[in-house]
Amino acid sequence: MSQRAPRQGASHAHPGAQRHTYFATCAPGAEPYLHAEVKALGFAKHERQVGGVQFEGSARDAWRANLWLRTAVRVLRRVARFEAPDEAALDAGVAAVEWSAFLAPDGRLWIDAQSRDSALSHSRFLAQRVKDGIVDQLRAADGTRPEIERETPDLRVHVHLFRDRATLSVDTSGASLHLRGWRVAQGRAPLAETLAATVVAASGWDRRSPLIDPFCGSGTLLVEAAMCAANIAPGLSRARFGFESWGDHDPVGWQREREAAAAARVPVAKLRLVARDRDAERIEDTRANLAAVGLDGQCTFEVGDALGWRPRSGWNAHVLSNLPYGERVSEGEDLDALHRAFGVVLREQASGYKVSLLVGSPRLAKRFALQGDRVELVNGGLDVVLLNADVR
């Protein structure tokens, strides 16, 4: 998913010339789309890895990553990497980091830890040990110690041990990046915004063709697609990011970066969206969410069953939808019959359309009887399939 973010240039103040190693995390299956975003933003030494994309950059690059990456869940900055075969080595590695640069002694702290193929194998013990090391260092000045807070910490530290090699990272994002700030209506079991952006990227939608969602729910797919078409930075509506609490944060430079992102928005007067759902409340949710990003005027809203939808002949639109797959449907609903019947609607009445349909299993994808490509993704721990096909 290419971006049209402002490129880095001499006219912008550049906070801290020091370069850092960053790792943008994502949901399983989203790595190639996140890598394309990182590459499009011009970040240096980008490398696709399992679970995300590594790149190098300045503090301003971290700002831009948080503002513009649509498929990333978090942007982590590495602060240390060292051998940690035992507790003493781990303690020494933690003590070598100047934690006061990221957290005040009376701030709120949380540690996330993972361990694989290492002597220090228990993640809870690992998190406790790192927490103790950080707290002891900050408390040494005047006895003030951080509060341990999981939900809204000022600093989230990630500890990763693999084959006795420890990586310590600080979370530049704070809250997960799927929390964009635009959602005013929740709906039932909404698709995460970052996964919706991944689906839009994987669909191949050209940002110009009419876009239709016959199972729109609260409109997450339509909102994320429309924001992409309008070049609206996904992080622009957020109230705060993790790096804003750090001691060396440059609020003036950050405000300039936000203003540049806001100015990068482009008009989409010719964009046509159609939101359809059998539940009138979901249509109102979609209307409210599109209004929150100023794009409700581009959408036609329809209350009605997806099987009653009649595609407009010759429109050659793109159908993009997240179909029910057991998490948000009424008990006893026949999912196979629903997918089969919707496939009939598409094949008999939507010739010339492109479709991108997110479904709960390869079995359900087959029920459409459409030939196309499949992309494997994960939605909240569930394996799902995106079917991309041309209707002929």
Short mmCIF file of all heavy atoms in Angstrom, two decimals, residues 303-368:
data_model
loop_
_atom_site.label_atom_id
_atom_site.label_comp_id
_atom_site.label_asym_id
_atom_site.label_seq_id
_atom_site.Cartn_x
_atom_site.Cartn_y
_atom_site.Cartn_z
N VAL A 303 -30.05 -0.09 3.71
CA VAL A 303 -30.45 -1.12 4.67
C VAL A 303 -31.06 -2.26 3.87
O VAL A 303 -32.04 -2.08 3.14
CB VAL A 303 -31.46 -0.58 5.69
CG1 VAL A 303 -31.91 -1.69 6.63
CG2 VAL A 303 -30.87 0.58 6.48
N GLY A 304 -30.47 -3.44 4.00
CA GLY A 304 -30.99 -4.58 3.27
C GLY A 304 -30.05 -5.77 3.34
O GLY A 304 -28.84 -5.61 3.58
N ASP A 305 -30.61 -6.94 3.17
CA ASP A 305 -29.82 -8.17 3.17
C ASP A 305 -28.86 -8.18 1.99
O ASP A 305 -29.20 -7.71 0.90
CB ASP A 305 -30.77 -9.36 3.09
CG ASP A 305 -30.06 -10.67 3.40
OD1 ASP A 305 -29.38 -11.19 2.50
OD2 ASP A 305 -30.20 -11.15 4.54
N ALA A 306 -27.68 -8.74 2.20
CA ALA A 306 -26.69 -8.80 1.12
C ALA A 306 -27.20 -9.61 -0.06
O ALA A 306 -26.85 -9.33 -1.22
CB ALA A 306 -25.39 -9.39 1.63
N LEU A 307 -28.02 -10.61 0.21
CA LEU A 307 -28.53 -11.45 -0.88
C LEU A 307 -29.57 -10.72 -1.72
O LEU A 307 -29.87 -11.13 -2.84
CB LEU A 307 -29.12 -12.75 -0.32
CG LEU A 307 -28.16 -13.61 0.50
CD1 LEU A 307 -28.84 -14.91 0.92
CD2 LEU A 307 -26.89 -13.91 -0.29
N GLY A 308 -30.08 -9.60 -1.20
CA GLY A 308 -31.03 -8.78 -1.96
C GLY A 308 -30.36 -7.65 -2.71
O GLY A 308 -31.02 -6.89 -3.42
N TRP A 309 -29.04 -7.54 -2.57
CA TRP A 309 -28.30 -6.49 -3.28
C TRP A 309 -28.27 -6.79 -4.77
O TRP A 309 -28.03 -7.92 -5.17
CB TRP A 309 -26.88 -6.39 -2.71
CG TRP A 309 -25.94 -5.55 -3.51
CD1 TRP A 309 -26.06 -4.22 -3.77
CD2 TRP A 309 -24.74 -5.98 -4.16
NE1 TRP A 309 -25.01 -3.79 -4.54
CE2 TRP A 309 -24.19 -4.85 -4.79
CE3 TRP A 309 -24.09 -7.22 -4.26
CZ2 TRP A 309 -23.00 -4.91 -5.52
CZ3 TRP A 309 -22.92 -7.29 -4.98
CH2 TRP A 309 -22.38 -6.14 -5.60
N ARG A 310 -28.51 -5.77 -5.57
CA ARG A 310 -28.46 -5.93 -7.01
C ARG A 310 -27.38 -5.04 -7.60
O ARG A 310 -27.52 -3.81 -7.64
CB ARG A 310 -29.83 -5.58 -7.64
CG ARG A 310 -30.92 -6.56 -7.24
CD ARG A 310 -30.60 -7.98 -7.73
NE ARG A 310 -31.55 -8.99 -7.24
CZ ARG A 310 -31.29 -9.82 -6.25
NH1 ARG A 310 -30.13 -9.77 -5.60
NH2 ARG A 310 -32.19 -10.72 -5.90
N PRO A 311 -26.26 -5.65 -8.03
CA PRO A 311 -25.15 -4.87 -8.58
C PRO A 311 -25.59 -4.04 -9.79
O PRO A 311 -26.42 -4.48 -10.59
CB PRO A 311 -24.14 -5.95 -9.00
CG PRO A 311 -24.50 -7.15 -8.20
CD PRO A 311 -25.98 -7.09 -8.02
N ARG A 312 -25.03 -2.86 -9.89
CA ARG A 312 -25.35 -1.97 -10.99
C ARG A 312 -24.64 -2.46 -12.25
O ARG A 312 -23.41 -2.62 -12.26
CB ARG A 312 -24.87 -0.57 -10.62
CG ARG A 312 -25.30 0.53 -11.53
CD ARG A 312 -25.15 1.81 -10.73
NE ARG A 312 -24.86 2.95 -11.56
CZ ARG A 312 -24.45 4.11 -11.06
NH1 ARG A 312 -24.22 4.21 -9.76
NH2 ARG A 312 -24.25 5.13 -11.83
N SER A 313 -25.37 -2.69 -13.29
CA SER A 313 -24.80 -3.24 -14.52
C SER A 313 -23.79 -2.29 -15.14
O SER A 313 -24.04 -1.08 -15.26
CB SER A 313 -25.92 -3.51 -15.52
OG SER A 313 -25.39 -4.03 -16.72
N GLY A 314 -22.62 -2.86 -15.49
CA GLY A 314 -21.59 -2.08 -16.17
C GLY A 314 -20.80 -1.14 -15.28
O GLY A 314 -19.97 -0.37 -15.78
N TRP A 315 -21.03 -1.18 -13.98
CA TRP A 315 -20.34 -0.25 -13.07
C TRP A 315 -18.89 -0.67 -12.85
O TRP A 315 -18.05 0.15 -12.53
CB TRP A 315 -21.10 -0.18 -11.75
CG TRP A 315 -21.02 1.15 -11.08
CD1 TRP A 315 -20.73 2.34 -11.67
CD2 TRP A 315 -21.26 1.44 -9.70
NE1 TRP A 315 -20.78 3.37 -10.76
CE2 TRP A 315 -21.11 2.84 -9.54
CE3 TRP A 315 -21.59 0.66 -8.60
CZ2 TRP A 315 -21.27 3.46 -8.31
CZ3 TRP A 315 -21.76 1.28 -7.38
CH2 TRP A 315 -21.59 2.67 -7.22
N ASN A 316 -18.60 -1.97 -12.98
CA ASN A 316 -17.24 -2.49 -12.81
C ASN A 316 -16.62 -2.03 -11.50
O ASN A 316 -15.49 -1.55 -11.45
CB ASN A 316 -16.35 -2.08 -13.99
CG ASN A 316 -16.85 -2.69 -15.29
OD1 ASN A 316 -17.54 -3.71 -15.29
ND2 ASN A 316 -16.51 -2.07 -16.40
N ALA A 317 -17.39 -2.18 -10.44
CA ALA A 317 -16.95 -1.76 -9.11
C ALA A 317 -16.14 -2.86 -8.44
O ALA A 317 -15.94 -3.95 -8.98
CB ALA A 317 -18.17 -1.40 -8.27
N HIS A 318 -15.68 -2.56 -7.23
CA HIS A 318 -14.92 -3.52 -6.41
C HIS A 318 -15.75 -3.82 -5.17
O HIS A 318 -16.14 -2.90 -4.43
CB HIS A 318 -13.57 -2.93 -6.02
CG HIS A 318 -12.55 -3.95 -5.66
ND1 HIS A 318 -11.28 -4.00 -6.23
CD2 HIS A 318 -12.58 -4.99 -4.77
CE1 HIS A 318 -10.61 -5.01 -5.72
NE2 HIS A 318 -11.38 -5.61 -4.83
N VAL A 319 -16.04 -5.08 -4.94
CA VAL A 319 -16.77 -5.50 -3.74
C VAL A 319 -15.74 -5.93 -2.70
O VAL A 319 -14.93 -6.84 -2.94
CB VAL A 319 -17.73 -6.67 -4.05
CG1 VAL A 319 -18.43 -7.13 -2.77
CG2 VAL A 319 -18.74 -6.26 -5.11
N LEU A 320 -15.77 -5.28 -1.56
CA LEU A 320 -14.81 -5.54 -0.49
C LEU A 320 -15.60 -5.78 0.79
O LEU A 320 -16.31 -4.88 1.25
CB LEU A 320 -13.87 -4.34 -0.33
CG LEU A 320 -12.78 -4.41 0.72
CD1 LEU A 320 -11.74 -5.45 0.36
CD2 LEU A 320 -12.09 -3.04 0.88
N SER A 321 -15.50 -6.99 1.35
CA SER A 321 -16.38 -7.28 2.48
C SER A 321 -15.79 -8.32 3.42
O SER A 321 -15.01 -9.19 3.00
CB SER A 321 -17.73 -7.78 1.95
OG SER A 321 -18.75 -7.53 2.87
N ASN A 322 -16.17 -8.20 4.68
CA ASN A 322 -15.82 -9.18 5.72
C ASN A 322 -17.09 -9.94 6.06
O ASN A 322 -17.96 -9.43 6.76
CB ASN A 322 -15.27 -8.43 6.95
CG ASN A 322 -15.01 -9.35 8.12
OD1 ASN A 322 -14.63 -10.50 7.95
ND2 ASN A 322 -15.20 -8.83 9.34
N LEU A 323 -17.21 -11.16 5.55
CA LEU A 323 -18.43 -11.93 5.75
C LEU A 323 -18.48 -12.55 7.14
O LEU A 323 -17.43 -12.73 7.78
CB LEU A 323 -18.55 -13.02 4.68
CG LEU A 323 -19.15 -12.56 3.35
CD1 LEU A 323 -18.12 -11.80 2.52
CD2 LEU A 323 -19.71 -13.73 2.58
N PRO A 324 -19.69 -12.89 7.61
CA PRO A 324 -19.78 -13.55 8.92
C PRO A 324 -19.03 -14.89 8.91
O PRO A 324 -19.04 -15.61 7.92
CB PRO A 324 -21.29 -13.80 9.07
CG PRO A 324 -21.94 -12.84 8.15
CD PRO A 324 -21.00 -12.67 7.00
N TYR A 325 -18.34 -15.19 10.01
CA TYR A 325 -17.70 -16.51 10.13
C TYR A 325 -17.74 -17.05 11.54
O TYR A 325 -16.80 -17.61 12.03
CB TYR A 325 -16.27 -16.53 9.57
CG TYR A 325 -15.41 -15.34 9.84
CD1 TYR A 325 -14.68 -15.20 11.01
CD2 TYR A 325 -15.29 -14.35 8.86
CE1 TYR A 325 -13.87 -14.12 11.22
CE2 TYR A 325 -14.48 -13.26 9.07
CZ TYR A 325 -13.76 -13.14 10.24
OH TYR A 325 -12.95 -12.04 10.45
N GLY A 326 -18.87 -16.83 12.20
CA GLY A 326 -19.10 -17.51 13.46
C GLY A 326 -18.91 -16.67 14.70
O GLY A 326 -19.38 -17.04 15.77
N GLU A 327 -18.26 -15.53 14.57
CA GLU A 327 -18.01 -14.72 15.75
C GLU A 327 -19.12 -13.69 15.98
O GLU A 327 -19.25 -13.16 17.06
CB GLU A 327 -16.67 -13.99 15.60
CG GLU A 327 -15.47 -14.92 15.65
CD GLU A 327 -15.38 -15.69 16.95
OE1 GLU A 327 -15.26 -15.07 18.01
OE2 GLU A 327 -15.47 -16.93 16.92
N ARG A 328 -19.88 -13.37 14.96
CA ARG A 328 -20.87 -12.31 15.12
C ARG A 328 -22.17 -12.62 14.37
O ARG A 328 -22.81 -11.75 13.82
CB ARG A 328 -20.29 -10.97 14.62
CG ARG A 328 -19.82 -10.99 13.17
CD ARG A 328 -19.27 -9.62 12.78
NE ARG A 328 -18.79 -9.58 11.42
CZ ARG A 328 -19.53 -9.27 10.38
NH1 ARG A 328 -20.80 -9.02 10.53
NH2 ARG A 328 -19.02 -9.23 9.16
N VAL A 329 -22.55 -13.90 14.29
CA VAL A 329 -23.80 -14.27 13.61
C VAL A 329 -24.71 -14.97 14.60
O VAL A 329 -24.29 -15.46 15.63
CB VAL A 329 -23.53 -15.19 12.40
CG1 VAL A 329 -22.73 -14.44 11.35
CG2 VAL A 329 -22.79 -16.45 12.81
N SER A 330 -25.99 -14.99 14.26
CA SER A 330 -26.95 -15.62 15.15
C SER A 330 -26.77 -17.13 15.14
O SER A 330 -26.34 -17.72 14.15
CB SER A 330 -28.37 -15.26 14.69
OG SER A 330 -28.57 -15.67 13.35
N GLU A 331 -27.12 -17.73 16.25
CA GLU A 331 -26.97 -19.18 16.39
C GLU A 331 -27.81 -19.91 15.35
O GLU A 331 -28.95 -19.56 15.08
CB GLU A 331 -27.39 -19.60 17.80
CG GLU A 331 -27.13 -21.07 18.09
CD GLU A 331 -27.48 -21.42 19.52
OE1 GLU A 331 -27.79 -20.49 20.29
OE2 GLU A 331 -27.44 -22.61 19.85
N GLY A 332 -27.21 -20.89 14.73
CA GLY A 332 -27.94 -21.68 13.77
C GLY A 332 -27.87 -21.17 12.34
O GLY A 332 -28.39 -21.81 11.43
N GLU A 333 -27.27 -20.00 12.12
CA GLU A 333 -27.17 -19.49 10.76
C GLU A 333 -26.27 -20.41 9.94
O GLU A 333 -25.20 -20.80 10.38
CB GLU A 333 -26.61 -18.07 10.76
CG GLU A 333 -26.57 -17.45 9.38
CD GLU A 333 -26.40 -15.94 9.42
OE1 GLU A 333 -26.32 -15.38 10.53
OE2 GLU A 333 -26.33 -15.34 8.35
N ASP A 334 -26.71 -20.75 8.74
CA ASP A 334 -25.98 -21.66 7.87
C ASP A 334 -24.97 -20.86 7.05
O ASP A 334 -25.33 -20.23 6.04
CB ASP A 334 -26.97 -22.40 6.96
CG ASP A 334 -26.29 -23.52 6.17
OD1 ASP A 334 -25.06 -23.46 5.99
OD2 ASP A 334 -27.00 -24.44 5.74
N LEU A 335 -23.73 -20.85 7.51
CA LEU A 335 -22.70 -20.05 6.83
C LEU A 335 -22.41 -20.57 5.43
O LEU A 335 -22.18 -19.79 4.51
CB LEU A 335 -21.42 -20.03 7.67
CG LEU A 335 -21.51 -19.29 9.01
CD1 LEU A 335 -20.18 -19.37 9.75
CD2 LEU A 335 -21.90 -17.84 8.80
N ASP A 336 -22.41 -21.88 5.28
CA ASP A 336 -22.15 -22.45 3.96
C ASP A 336 -23.21 -21.98 2.96
O ASP A 336 -22.89 -21.59 1.84
CB ASP A 336 -22.12 -23.98 4.02
CG ASP A 336 -20.86 -24.50 4.67
OD1 ASP A 336 -20.78 -24.54 5.90
OD2 ASP A 336 -19.93 -24.85 3.92
N ALA A 337 -24.47 -22.02 3.38
CA ALA A 337 -25.55 -21.60 2.49
C ALA A 337 -25.46 -20.11 2.17
O ALA A 337 -25.71 -19.69 1.03
CB ALA A 337 -26.90 -21.92 3.13
N LEU A 338 -25.09 -19.31 3.16
CA LEU A 338 -24.94 -17.87 2.95
C LEU A 338 -23.86 -17.58 1.91
O LEU A 338 -24.06 -16.80 0.97
CB LEU A 338 -24.62 -17.18 4.27
CG LEU A 338 -24.26 -15.69 4.17
CD1 LEU A 338 -25.46 -14.89 3.69
CD2 LEU A 338 -23.76 -15.17 5.52
N HIS A 339 -22.69 -18.21 2.07
CA HIS A 339 -21.59 -17.97 1.14
C HIS A 339 -21.95 -18.48 -0.26
O HIS A 339 -21.63 -17.84 -1.27
CB HIS A 339 -20.32 -18.64 1.65
CG HIS A 339 -19.71 -17.95 2.84
ND1 HIS A 339 -20.35 -17.87 4.05
CD2 HIS A 339 -18.53 -17.30 2.99
CE1 HIS A 339 -19.59 -17.20 4.91
NE2 HIS A 339 -18.48 -16.85 4.29
N ARG A 340 -22.62 -19.63 -0.32
CA ARG A 340 -23.01 -20.18 -1.62
C ARG A 340 -23.99 -19.25 -2.32
O ARG A 340 -23.86 -18.96 -3.52
CB ARG A 340 -23.61 -21.57 -1.42
CG ARG A 340 -23.84 -22.33 -2.71
CD ARG A 340 -24.43 -23.70 -2.44
NE ARG A 340 -23.51 -24.57 -1.71
CZ ARG A 340 -23.67 -24.96 -0.44
NH1 ARG A 340 -24.72 -24.54 0.25
NH2 ARG A 340 -22.81 -25.77 0.14
N ALA A 341 -24.97 -18.75 -1.58
CA ALA A 341 -25.99 -17.88 -2.17
C ALA A 341 -25.40 -16.55 -2.60
O ALA A 341 -25.78 -16.00 -3.65
CB ALA A 341 -27.13 -17.66 -1.16
N PHE A 342 -24.47 -16.01 -1.81
CA PHE A 342 -23.86 -14.74 -2.21
C PHE A 342 -22.98 -14.94 -3.46
O PHE A 342 -22.90 -14.06 -4.31
CB PHE A 342 -23.03 -14.16 -1.06
CG PHE A 342 -22.57 -12.76 -1.32
CD1 PHE A 342 -23.49 -11.74 -1.56
CD2 PHE A 342 -21.22 -12.44 -1.34
CE1 PHE A 342 -23.07 -10.44 -1.80
CE2 PHE A 342 -20.79 -11.15 -1.59
CZ PHE A 342 -21.73 -10.15 -1.82
N GLY A 343 -22.36 -16.11 -3.56
CA GLY A 343 -21.61 -16.42 -4.78
C GLY A 343 -22.51 -16.42 -6.00
O GLY A 343 -22.11 -15.96 -7.08
N VAL A 344 -23.73 -16.92 -5.86
CA VAL A 344 -24.69 -16.91 -6.98
C VAL A 344 -25.03 -15.48 -7.38
O VAL A 344 -25.06 -15.14 -8.58
CB VAL A 344 -25.97 -17.69 -6.59
CG1 VAL A 344 -27.05 -17.49 -7.66
CG2 VAL A 344 -25.66 -19.16 -6.40
N VAL A 345 -25.27 -14.61 -6.39
CA VAL A 345 -25.55 -13.20 -6.68
C VAL A 345 -24.41 -12.59 -7.49
O VAL A 345 -24.64 -11.90 -8.50
CB VAL A 345 -25.77 -12.41 -5.37
CG1 VAL A 345 -25.84 -10.91 -5.66
CG2 VAL A 345 -27.02 -12.88 -4.66
N LEU A 346 -23.19 -12.84 -7.06
CA LEU A 346 -22.03 -12.27 -7.75
C LEU A 346 -21.89 -12.82 -9.17
O LEU A 346 -21.72 -12.07 -10.14
CB LEU A 346 -20.75 -12.55 -6.94
CG LEU A 346 -20.65 -11.85 -5.58
CD1 LEU A 346 -19.45 -12.37 -4.80
CD2 LEU A 346 -20.56 -10.34 -5.74
N ARG A 347 -21.95 -14.13 -9.30
CA ARG A 347 -21.71 -14.75 -10.61
C ARG A 347 -22.79 -14.40 -11.62
O ARG A 347 -22.51 -14.22 -12.80
CB ARG A 347 -21.59 -16.27 -10.47
CG ARG A 347 -20.41 -16.73 -9.64
CD ARG A 347 -20.14 -18.23 -9.81
NE ARG A 347 -21.34 -19.05 -9.69
CZ ARG A 347 -21.86 -19.48 -8.55
NH1 ARG A 347 -21.29 -19.13 -7.40
NH2 ARG A 347 -22.94 -20.24 -8.54
N GLU A 348 -24.04 -14.28 -11.14
CA GLU A 348 -25.15 -14.04 -12.06
C GLU A 348 -25.39 -12.56 -12.36
O GLU A 348 -25.96 -12.23 -13.41
CB GLU A 348 -26.43 -14.66 -11.50
CG GLU A 348 -26.38 -16.19 -11.44
CD GLU A 348 -27.70 -16.80 -10.99
OE1 GLU A 348 -28.60 -16.02 -10.58
OE2 GLU A 348 -27.83 -18.04 -11.06
N GLN A 349 -24.93 -11.67 -11.45
CA GLN A 349 -25.33 -10.28 -11.61
C GLN A 349 -24.18 -9.27 -11.53
O GLN A 349 -24.43 -8.08 -11.75
CB GLN A 349 -26.38 -9.91 -10.55
CG GLN A 349 -27.59 -10.83 -10.60
CD GLN A 349 -28.68 -10.36 -9.66
OE1 GLN A 349 -29.02 -9.18 -9.66
NE2 GLN A 349 -29.24 -11.28 -8.89
N ALA A 350 -22.97 -9.71 -11.24
CA ALA A 350 -21.87 -8.75 -11.04
C ALA A 350 -20.73 -8.97 -12.03
O ALA A 350 -19.56 -8.78 -11.69
CB ALA A 350 -21.36 -8.84 -9.60
N SER A 351 -21.07 -9.32 -13.24
CA SER A 351 -20.04 -9.52 -14.26
C SER A 351 -19.25 -8.23 -14.46
O SER A 351 -19.82 -7.13 -14.54
CB SER A 351 -20.68 -9.94 -15.58
OG SER A 351 -19.70 -10.12 -16.57
N GLY A 352 -17.92 -8.36 -14.52
CA GLY A 352 -17.06 -7.20 -14.66
C GLY A 352 -16.59 -6.61 -13.35
O GLY A 352 -15.71 -5.74 -13.33
N TYR A 353 -17.16 -7.05 -12.25
CA TYR A 353 -16.75 -6.57 -10.93
C TYR A 353 -15.51 -7.33 -10.45
O TYR A 353 -15.26 -8.45 -10.87
CB TYR A 353 -17.87 -6.79 -9.90
CG TYR A 353 -18.99 -5.77 -9.93
CD1 TYR A 353 -19.65 -5.45 -11.10
CD2 TYR A 353 -19.39 -5.15 -8.76
CE1 TYR A 353 -20.68 -4.52 -11.11
CE2 TYR A 353 -20.43 -4.23 -8.75
CZ TYR A 353 -21.08 -3.91 -9.93
OH TYR A 353 -22.09 -3.00 -9.94
N LYS A 354 -14.78 -6.71 -9.54
CA LYS A 354 -13.73 -7.39 -8.78
C LYS A 354 -14.25 -7.60 -7.37
O LYS A 354 -15.00 -6.75 -6.85
CB LYS A 354 -12.44 -6.56 -8.75
CG LYS A 354 -11.77 -6.39 -10.11
CD LYS A 354 -10.50 -5.57 -9.95
CE LYS A 354 -9.81 -5.37 -11.29
NZ LYS A 354 -9.31 -6.62 -11.86
N VAL A 355 -13.88 -8.71 -6.76
CA VAL A 355 -14.32 -8.97 -5.40
C VAL A 355 -13.13 -9.33 -4.52
O VAL A 355 -12.19 -9.98 -4.97
CB VAL A 355 -15.38 -10.09 -5.32
CG1 VAL A 355 -16.62 -9.72 -6.12
CG2 VAL A 355 -14.82 -11.41 -5.80
N SER A 356 -13.19 -8.88 -3.28
CA SER A 356 -12.21 -9.24 -2.25
C SER A 356 -13.02 -9.54 -1.00
O SER A 356 -13.56 -8.63 -0.37
CB SER A 356 -11.22 -8.11 -2.00
OG SER A 356 -10.47 -7.84 -3.17
N LEU A 357 -13.11 -10.83 -0.67
CA LEU A 357 -14.02 -11.29 0.36
C LEU A 357 -13.24 -12.00 1.47
O LEU A 357 -12.56 -12.99 1.22
CB LEU A 357 -15.05 -12.25 -0.24
CG LEU A 357 -15.81 -11.68 -1.46
CD1 LEU A 357 -16.66 -12.77 -2.12
CD2 LEU A 357 -16.68 -10.50 -1.05
N LEU A 358 -13.34 -11.47 2.68
CA LEU A 358 -12.67 -12.06 3.84
C LEU A 358 -13.61 -13.07 4.48
O LEU A 358 -14.72 -12.71 4.89
CB LEU A 358 -12.28 -10.97 4.84
CG LEU A 358 -11.35 -11.39 5.97
CD1 LEU A 358 -9.98 -11.77 5.44
CD2 LEU A 358 -11.22 -10.26 7.00
N VAL A 359 -13.17 -14.32 4.55
CA VAL A 359 -14.03 -15.40 5.05
C VAL A 359 -13.28 -16.22 6.09
O VAL A 359 -12.05 -16.13 6.21
CB VAL A 359 -14.52 -16.30 3.91
CG1 VAL A 359 -15.36 -15.51 2.92
CG2 VAL A 359 -13.36 -16.96 3.19
N GLY A 360 -14.04 -17.04 6.83
CA GLY A 360 -13.49 -17.73 7.99
C GLY A 360 -12.70 -18.98 7.72
O GLY A 360 -12.07 -19.51 8.65
N SER A 361 -12.68 -19.49 6.48
CA SER A 361 -11.95 -20.73 6.21
C SER A 361 -11.84 -20.96 4.71
O SER A 361 -12.63 -20.42 3.94
CB SER A 361 -12.68 -21.93 6.85
OG SER A 361 -13.91 -22.17 6.16
N PRO A 362 -10.88 -21.79 4.29
CA PRO A 362 -10.81 -22.16 2.87
C PRO A 362 -12.09 -22.83 2.38
O PRO A 362 -12.49 -22.68 1.22
CB PRO A 362 -9.62 -23.12 2.83
CG PRO A 362 -8.77 -22.73 4.00
CD PRO A 362 -9.75 -22.32 5.06
N ARG A 363 -12.76 -23.58 3.27
CA ARG A 363 -14.01 -24.23 2.89
C ARG A 363 -15.06 -23.20 2.47
O ARG A 363 -15.73 -23.35 1.44
CB ARG A 363 -14.54 -25.06 4.06
CG ARG A 363 -15.77 -25.89 3.72
CD ARG A 363 -16.50 -26.43 4.93
NE ARG A 363 -17.41 -25.45 5.53
CZ ARG A 363 -17.20 -24.84 6.68
NH1 ARG A 363 -16.12 -25.10 7.40
NH2 ARG A 363 -18.08 -23.97 7.14
N LEU A 364 -15.18 -22.14 3.28
CA LEU A 364 -16.17 -21.11 2.96
C LEU A 364 -15.78 -20.35 1.70
O LEU A 364 -16.65 -19.94 0.92
CB LEU A 364 -16.32 -20.15 4.14
CG LEU A 364 -16.96 -20.74 5.40
CD1 LEU A 364 -16.92 -19.74 6.55
CD2 LEU A 364 -18.41 -21.16 5.12
N ALA A 365 -14.49 -20.17 1.48
CA ALA A 365 -14.04 -19.49 0.25
C ALA A 365 -14.47 -20.26 -0.98
O ALA A 365 -14.82 -19.67 -2.02
CB ALA A 365 -12.53 -19.31 0.28
N LYS A 366 -14.48 -21.59 -0.91
CA LYS A 366 -14.87 -22.42 -2.05
C LYS A 366 -16.36 -22.29 -2.37
O LYS A 366 -16.77 -22.52 -3.51
CB LYS A 366 -14.54 -23.88 -1.76
CG LYS A 366 -13.06 -24.21 -1.72
CD LYS A 366 -12.84 -25.68 -1.41
CE LYS A 366 -11.35 -26.01 -1.34
NZ LYS A 366 -11.13 -27.44 -0.98
N ARG A 367 -17.15 -21.92 -1.38
CA ARG A 367 -18.60 -21.86 -1.59
C ARG A 367 -19.01 -20.78 -2.59
O ARG A 367 -20.10 -20.85 -3.17
CB ARG A 367 -19.33 -21.63 -0.26
CG ARG A 367 -19.12 -22.74 0.76
CD ARG A 367 -19.69 -24.07 0.28
NE ARG A 367 -19.46 -25.14 1.24
CZ ARG A 367 -18.49 -26.04 1.15
NH1 ARG A 367 -17.65 -26.00 0.12
NH2 ARG A 367 -18.34 -26.98 2.07
N PHE A 368 -18.16 -19.79 -2.81
CA PHE A 368 -18.49 -18.74 -3.78
C PHE A 368 -18.42 -19.26 -5.22
O PHE A 368 -18.98 -18.65 -6.13
CB PHE A 368 -17.54 -17.55 -3.65
CG PHE A 368 -17.61 -16.85 -2.33
CD1 PHE A 368 -16.50 -16.79 -1.50
CD2 PHE A 368 -18.78 -16.24 -1.90
CE1 PHE A 368 -16.55 -16.14 -0.28
CE2 PHE A 368 -18.84 -15.59 -0.68
CZ PHE A 368 -17.73 -15.54 0.13
#
